[in-house]
Amino acid sequence: MLEIKNLHVDLEEEDKTILKGVNLTVEAGKVHAIMGPNGSGKSTLSYVLSGRDGYTVTEGNATLEGVDLLEMEPEERAAAGLFLAFQYPVEIPGVGNMTFLRTAMNAQRKARGEDEISAADFLKLVREKAKTLKIDADMLKRPVNVGFSGGEKKRNEILQMAMLEPKMCILDETDSGLDVDAMKLVSEGVNALRDAGRGFLVITHYQRLLDHIKPDVVHIMSDGRIIKTGGPDLALEVEKNGYADILSEVA
Ligand SMILES: Nc1ncnc2c1ncn2[C@@H]1O[C@H](COP(=O)(O)OP(=O)(O)OP(=O)(O)O)[C@@H](O)[C@H]1O
Ligand SMILES: [Mg+2]
């Protein structure tokens, strides 16, 4: 589904290399987790995949279902089925949350040559999905993320994901800032979307999330590379011993 080969990325503004040869394949139907120390390049990887400005790919490539992602505009990547739940969701003053969701859905449908969703179908769907995430009607009417609490913003990202039903979902620390109950709701939201045709890349610092969203594969990223790959046990090892042992193993 998602194939990243030898990806090297520099910052545009500064002479600094962030990703130094990332290799990663997420198969359809699988959940891959990425853990790793602060500043190792996890968010950078997710930004580069989703098409954020400010980065230069100097080597390597990334494809979604065989199609070159890096050549596409951000909205084309989204229409192709890539979704990123941001570590720091952005506030969009002046744009109602529901309007945003409906516009995003219809833009993607249009790009895929599908009909727009009717107002009635949309309302039914958004109410149903919002309910399962305990997002109330008021939050649906307010401008996107404006004045939302940290945890509400994270839940709102998952609402977007649930509405758009992307093929490849990248979650960047969606668990940070969530209370225990919200963590369960969000995990249930993710698990409900697990499907043979969909891949997940879950970036997290904590084993706790992975208790709820059971990953198939766990990767450790450090200094712009994936330095170790293993099963769910790898996350337990990190929780228990930190990164020191793993880092010294590969040094
Ligand atoms: N615009 C920028 N200017 C300077 N340095 C940057 C910029 N953007 C990213 N970096 C640096 O790139 C490195 C990787 O950052 P990134 O946000 O990808 O890390 P991360 O693995 O997501 O960390 P965290 O776990 O704290 O979220 C960091 O050292 C960061 O300071
Ligand atoms: Mg990050």
Side-chain angles (χ1 to χ4, degrees):
M1 165 121 318
L2 177 68
E3 248 189 274
I4 304 165
K5 283 191 192 143
N6 194 31
L7 192 64
H8 288 68
V9 172
D10 290 355
L11 286 178
E12 229 162 60
E13 295 278 308
E14 278 179 62
D15 190 20
K16 191 172 172 188
T17 303
I18 310 289
L19 300 183
K20 303 174 180 174
V22 174
N23 289 293
L24 179 69
T25 301
V26 180
E27 309 82 2
K30 301 286 183 199
V31 175
H32 285 233
I34 298 189
M35 304 179 85
N38 292 135
S40 52
K42 304 179 300 295
S43 293
T44 301
L45 176 64
S46 67
Y47 290 146
V48 170
L49 292 174
S50 58
R52 181 167 164 161
D53 288 338
Y55 303 98
T56 310
V57 175
T58 55
E59 226 185 304
N61 59 61
T63 56
L64 182 67
E65 296 189 305
V67 182
D68 186 356
L69 273 176
L70 304 177
E71 289 297 315
M72 294 189 222
E73 295 301 320
E75 62 274 17
E76 293 172 328
R77 302 180 197 204
L82 186 75
F83 177 85
L84 170 61
F86 288 102
Q87 180 171 6
Y88 305 107
V90 277
E91 299 190 358
I92 315 180
V95 180
N97 208 9
M98 273 208 277
T99 309
F100 175 81
L101 283 169
R102 195 168 157 210
T103 308
M105 270 183 97
N106 281 333
Q108 295 197 2
R109 286 181 172 225
K110 199 173 162 200
R112 293 195 289 252
E114 297 164 13
D115 287 339
E116 291 200 344
I117 186 166
S118 75
D121 287 347
F122 172 79
L123 259 184
K124 192 168 162 246
L125 195 67
V126 75
R127 283 190 181 134
E128 178 193 308
K129 305 273 188 198
K131 196 173 165 197
T132 61
L133 288 162
K134 296 225 165 70
I135 290 174
D136 62 28
D138 174 55
M139 265 169 71
L140 288 176
K141 284 183 199 140
R142 279 158 62 186
V144 181
N145 289 328
V146 176
F148 286 23
S149 76
E152 286 170 349
K153 286 181 183 172
K154 297 299 178 99
R155 273 188 280 150
N156 203 43
E157 295 287 291
I158 300 303
L159 174 66
Q160 290 171 17
M161 184 173 89
M163 293 295 289
L164 294 170
E165 302 191 321
K167 283 183 198 156
M168 180 66 219
C169 309
I170 305 175
L171 282 71
D172 191 357
E173 292 194 31
T174 301
D175 50 335
S176 70
L178 291 179
D179 68 48
V180 186
D181 297 326
M183 174 107 67
K184 272 201 189 130
L185 291 177
V186 161
S187 306
E188 280 161 16
V190 171
N191 288 331
L193 279 176
R194 285 179 85 152
D195 172 296
R198 185 170 288 129
F200 288 88
L201 192 56
V202 179
I203 299 169
T204 184
H205 285 296
Y206 305 108
Q207 156 62 26
R208 206 175 29 170
L209 177 74
L210 304 177
D211 280 337
H212 298 292
I213 305 172
K214 301 231 178 330
D216 299 288
V217 183
V218 176
H219 307 276
I220 308 296
M221 189 161 188
S222 168
D223 194 23
R225 290 185 191 92
I226 306 275
I227 58 161
K228 189 166 184 178
T229 295
D233 290 354
L234 192 50
L236 290 168
E237 190 188 321
V238 167
E239 183 93 346
K240 210 167 133 221
N241 303 323
Y243 292 110
D245 291 354
I246 298 171
L247 291 175
S248 62
E249 242 173 64
V250 297

